[in-house]
Amino acid sequence: MVNEIVQGFIQAVDLIVSLDPEVIEITIRTLVISLSSTLLGTAIAIPVGGIISLNEFRGKRALMYLVQTLYSVPTVIIGLLLFLLISSSGPFGSLKLLFTSTGMVIGQTMLILPILIGLTIAALEGLDRGLRDTLVSLGATWSQQLIALLREARFALLAAVAVGFGRAISEVGVAIMIGGNIRGFTRVLTTAISLETSMGNISLSLALGIILLVLALVVNFGVNLLQGGGRR
Amino acid sequence: MIRCEEIGWEIEGKTVLDNISIEVAPGEVFGLIGPSGSGKSSLIRIMDLLVAPTSGRLWIDSTEVSAGSTDLVALRRRMGMVFQRPAVFSGDVYRNVSIGLGLRGERPHSARQLVEDALEMVGLTGFGPRRASTLSGGELQRVAIARALVTRPTVLFLDEPTANLDPLSTQVIEDVVRRAQTDLGTTIVMATHNLDQGQRLCDRLAVMATGRLMQTGTPLEVFYRPRTRQVARFVGAENLVDGTVERQDRGVAFVRTTGNVLAVAVHEPVFGTVTVAIRPEEIVLSHDDSCRTDSPNHLHGRVTAVESDGPLVRVSLDCGFPLVALVRRLTYLSLSLEPGLQVCAVFDPNGAHLIART
């Protein structure tokens, strides 16, 4: 086993250094799909989280519990739900999203939305209550309050985006069920790892896994850089 | 300027404010004083339109706020608020002070000048580029006042602005409040539990207790003519002696208490059972042999306790009823005051006040 890990590491370095066209293509597709779903999810989650956090309404607490529960929804459940919606007999079948990268982006967005919404709420609720009172007393409109508070919570929000990206890039259920792991079209690192492992190419799987980890590491490093730079 | 009419506020079935009616005139400094939990901050938050009352009506100038259609943002932009614990936004002092201007779409060039003027007013000239989070509590509170004043509000609300601050910072903030009133003509409503501060700064005071308004008046009226025992106790008239009015003669009521007759100046006829309120600082102590028993308000007393009270000395006496006197340290030393000593306690009829008992 140790030998296979070492071999996998050597193969990963080899695949990266030799710029293996298929690995490069899979890696780029993985990044594009995961970053797209993270951006889309963030664009939806921040205003939704803001609306939930800044308003008092009946059932708010229950809604927050529901959002938190959905953090851990299995990826295959999301995959199955979306499959039923976009398969040719589903209500959105005519959009022909099944086995497409767009379908995978939608699936991953659905997967990470609860995390992004929940962490946005947590980031805003964690701020000093006096900040909002001060903004209101200064005559801020609702949207001005939200923008100012999001700015104050930006580091926590960046961390939330990093968590969302991590969940998106590492999931396999939606990628398999919605993408179908079609070579040259919807294959991403996680589905490729799954396939190679089932075919007994353990070293290649490990190599792809290491590339996946390096990608996650690079993105998190970037987020940390942004956070550090902003705090200075 | 501001009129509250029968304002009430309940949270989760608990009454926080009960039937509060007050009116604040333009340009005056109006103080809300009362112990912690009396509802001062809640009332100030209602007047600043941060929360809506559950009952009653509120007018800002001629605009009734309670009506649902009122543009709250426009009204809030005519007011400013300084909280007990100032909120600190990320970034420098300049950003913290200019936030309200930014919300109003003020152009950066004119905003910069306004911010510099506001910082100068609170004695923080040159502090603009400093990180707000590195400032002391007193400096932060001054930044909060600059943030509220920079928008030139017609009304400034201050919620315990000097609580937990050192005397020097307190003095600076009190000076700023005076300047805001005199130089800018700002109407100021401030909540404070600091009685001296209320007396120093306010044109009128409202005394609150357990969510209710107990008395409104000038500092002189509130501190020297309290209407209830509760107000008297709160404003420091801690000697409250029960008795019955025996007679009145040329503006002086003679009140029979336990073993003594006390003479109290009155401005209107008072009858029946009353409470005589005497501030401790109105009582003069002397050697026991100087007591003239034929004179009113000359009381024989035995010292029961002596303790320091800042630059003064608090002396507790037993005169047939408990009495507390605040005397200068020199008096304390010259009389050799100590528990068990017999002394003479004297007060002027004009230094006491009668509270009718119902």
Side-chain angles (χ1 to χ4, degrees):
Chain A
M1 182 58 77
V2 175
N3 193 32
E4 280 174 339
I5 293 172
V6 173
Q7 267 192 351
F9 186 77
I10 293 167
Q11 196 170 352
V13 172
D14 184 45
L15 286 170
I16 294 165
V17 172
S18 67
L19 297 174
D20 181 275
E22 189 174 359
V23 170
I24 297 295
E25 182 217 308
I26 292 174
T27 304
I28 289 173
R29 184 179 302 112
T30 303
L31 264 180
V32 168
I33 290 174
S34 301
L35 284 173
S36 300
S37 55
T38 306
L39 283 175
L40 183 61
T42 304
I44 298 169
I46 285 182
V48 170
I51 288 168
I52 295 172
S53 174
L54 265 60
N55 287 297
E56 292 305 321
F57 53 90
R58 208 180 179 84
K60 178 176 176 175
R61 189 61 50 190
L63 180 62
M64 285 163 69
Y65 285 141
L66 176 68
V67 168
Q68 284 167 7
T69 305
L70 291 175
Y71 284 8
S72 50
V73 67
T75 59
V76 287
I77 298 287
I78 296 289
L80 178 62
L81 275 175
L82 190 59
F83 180 86
L84 293 172
L85 290 171
I86 64 174
S87 64
S88 56
S89 56
F92 300 107
S94 60
L95 297 175
K96 299 193 182 310
L97 292 169
L98 194 59
F99 307 132
T100 64
S101 296
T102 309
M104 292 167 75
V105 169
I106 294 170
Q108 286 189 355
T109 303
M110 287 169 65
L111 184 70
I112 64 173
L113 255 183
I115 294 174
L116 289 172
I117 291 174
L119 293 181
T120 299
I121 295 170
L124 290 172
E125 302 272 323
L127 291 173
D128 177 2
R129 170 76 210 176
L131 290 174
R132 190 174 180 205
D133 281 345
T134 302
L135 286 166
V136 174
S137 75
L138 285 168
T141 61
W142 191 88
S143 57
Q144 286 176 326
Q145 290 171 42
L146 180 60
I147 291 166
L149 293 175
L150 288 174
R151 179 176 170 164
E152 293 304 313
R154 62 192 179 280
F155 299 123
L157 290 173
L158 266 177
V161 171
V163 171
F165 175 78
R167 173 97 157 134
I169 202 170
S170 61
E171 73 83 27
V172 67
V174 171
I176 287 268
M177 295 180 79
I178 303 302
N181 196 23
I182 303 166
R183 186 177 188 179
F185 193 50
T186 58
R187 181 164 296 171
V188 288
L189 284 169
T190 51
T191 56
I193 291 169
S194 174
L195 179 72
E196 296 303 333
T197 306
S198 66
M199 289 166 64
N201 296 329
I202 302 298
S203 296
L204 182 57
S205 295
L206 278 171
L208 293 171
I210 289 167
I211 291 170
L212 190 63
L213 272 176
V214 169
L215 281 183
L217 188 71
V218 167
V219 169
N220 274 298
F221 184 70
V223 168
N224 275 313
L225 268 184
L226 279 174
Q227 287 182 325
R231 285 202 174 101
R232 272 196 291 276
Chain B
M1 184 80 228
I2 299 173
R3 185 149 63 96
C4 297
E5 193 177 285
E6 296 175 357
I7 291 283
W9 193 36
E10 288 185 8
I11 306 176
E12 294 167 359
K14 182 177 174 277
T15 302
V16 179
L17 293 174
D18 184 13
N19 204 27
I20 305 282
S21 295
I22 55 171
E23 203 161 333
V24 180
E28 78 170 332
V29 180
F30 189 90
L32 299 170
I33 60 172
S36 296
S38 59
K40 308 182 295 290
S41 296
S42 300
L43 182 58
I44 227 166
R45 288 174 72 85
I46 284 174
M47 287 195 278
D48 191 39
L49 313 180
L50 289 174
V51 290
T54 42
S55 61
R57 302 168 78 183
L58 172 66
W59 283 265
I60 307 290
D61 285 336
S62 54
T63 310
E64 186 176 356
V65 180
S66 320
S69 59
T70 307
D71 184 354
L72 295 182
V73 170
L75 279 175
R76 284 190 193 117
R77 288 187 178 185
R78 290 160 53 192
M79 305 191 280
M81 172 85 164
V82 176
F83 297 88
Q84 180 175 344
R85 203 173 56 82
V88 188
F89 290 89
S90 55
D92 56 20
V93 169
Y94 178 86
R95 176 172 181 256
N96 269 270
V97 176
S98 66
I99 274 186
L101 296 172
L103 298 172
R104 288 158 175 77
E106 191 76 41
R107 294 161 75 93
H109 179 70
S110 51
R112 181 159 293 278
Q113 189 55 52
L114 290 170
V115 170
E116 281 168 11
D117 290 347
L119 285 175
E120 189 204 342
M121 188 167 185
V122 299
L124 293 178
T125 304
F127 272 60
R130 292 203 20 197
R131 288 192 72 78
S133 55
T134 63
L135 301 185
S136 70
E139 288 167 340
L140 274 179
Q141 194 59 293
R142 283 147 74 186
V143 167
I145 293 177
R147 178 164 60 204
L149 284 177
V150 77
T151 58
R152 292 284 189 269
T154 52
V155 188
L156 177 64
F157 296 99
L158 303 161
D159 186 7
E160 301 277 10
T162 59
N164 311 319
L165 294 189
D166 60 274
L168 195 62
S169 298
T170 300
Q171 195 183 340
V172 171
I173 286 169
E174 288 184 4
D175 286 345
V176 173
V177 172
R178 283 192 197 95
R179 284 184 62 192
Q181 183 200 23
T182 54
D183 298 357
L184 307 177
T186 313
T187 304
I188 294 165
V189 180
M190 67 182 297
T192 180
H193 64 257
N194 183 333
L195 299 179
D196 296 337
Q197 186 173 65
Q199 216 169 357
R200 277 196 300 272
L201 290 180
C202 299
D203 299 313
R204 285 193 308 135
L205 292 168
V207 186
M208 296 182 67
T210 59
R212 300 173 74 180
L213 188 62
M214 309 305 289
Q215 185 172 345
T216 309
T218 64
L220 189 73
E221 288 168 338
V222 168
F223 281 85
Y224 290 93
R225 293 202 282 278
R227 274 198 220 123
T228 65
R229 289 175 65 96
Q230 200 173 6
V231 173
R233 200 172 288 122
F234 179 71
V235 298
E238 54 189 289
N239 295 305
L240 299 172
V241 187
D242 293 335
T244 309
V245 177
E246 281 192 334
R247 62 191 168 88
Q248 288 187 53
D249 184 17
R250 284 173 289 181
V252 175
F254 294 88
V255 180
R256 165 69 61 189
T257 66
T258 318
N260 290 286
V261 173
L262 304 181
V264 181
V266 289
H267 305 283
E268 54 195 39
V270 183
F271 304 98
T273 55
V274 293
T275 297
V276 181
I278 315 159
R279 299 188 66 84
E281 60 270 26
E282 297 293 334
I283 294 170
V284 178
L285 298 185
S286 57
H287 290 294
D288 189 46
D289 54 15
S290 65
C291 249
R292 288 161 41 204
T293 47
D294 56 331
S295 297
N297 303 345
H298 279 233
L299 309 169
H300 289 287
R302 183 176 56 82
V303 176
T304 55
V306 179
E307 55 188 334
S308 289
D309 189 345
L312 302 174
V313 177
R314 171 179 295 269
V315 184
S316 301
L317 304 166
D318 178 5
C319 300
F321 49 82
L323 199 71
V324 174
L326 269 179
V327 299
R328 293 187 304 160
R329 195 155 290 276
L330 194 63
T331 308
Y332 158 72
L333 292 171
S334 65
L335 293 176
S336 304
L337 292 170
E338 59 180 32
L341 184 74
Q342 284 292 133
V343 292
C344 179
V346 181
F347 64 92
D348 189 282
N350 287 300
H353 168 67
L354 283 191
I355 300 169
R357 295 177 69 199
T358 52

